[in-house]
Amino acid sequence: MKVTVLVRLKSEVLDPQGDAVRRALDKLGFNGVRSVRVGKLIEIDVDERVAGADIKEHLAKMADEMLANPVIEDYEVV
C-alpha cells in the first residue's frame, strides 16, 4: 500500500525557506506572489500485513516519531 505524508510548518512558524523562494520568484519576474510555504512530501510503500488493521495509527506514529516535528510541523497522511 502506497501512502503519502505531507509535512508542513504550522502557520504560526516563520518559514525562511519559503520567504527566500518568494523573493527569488519576484526577482525572476513572477510578480504577485504574496507568500510561499515550503514543506515535505514523503512517499511510503507499506506492507499492510505488517501494519495490520490499525494502519492509520501506525502511520501517525511514524509521522509523530520520525517524519515530522509535531512542535513546529503539522502532517497529513494521504
Side-chain angles (χ1 to χ4, degrees), residues 10-61:
K10 292 185 176 189
S11 60
E12 61 271 13
V13 176
L14 296 175
D15 186 355
Q17 187 178 8
D19 288 339
V21 170
R22 184 194 52 77
R23 287 192 305 274
L25 288 170
D26 188 53
K27 286 183 181 180
L28 291 171
F30 296 103
N31 301 326
V33 177
R34 292 183 177 174
S35 68
V36 174
R37 304 285 290 175
V38 176
K40 299 181 277 190
L41 181 143
I42 303 164
E43 295 178 333
I44 304 172
D45 191 1
V46 180
D47 185 340
E48 293 177 65
R49 294 170 295 176
V50 174
D54 59 343
I55 192 158
K56 288 282 189 184
E57 291 177 23
H58 190 68
L59 292 165
K61 186 174 170 94

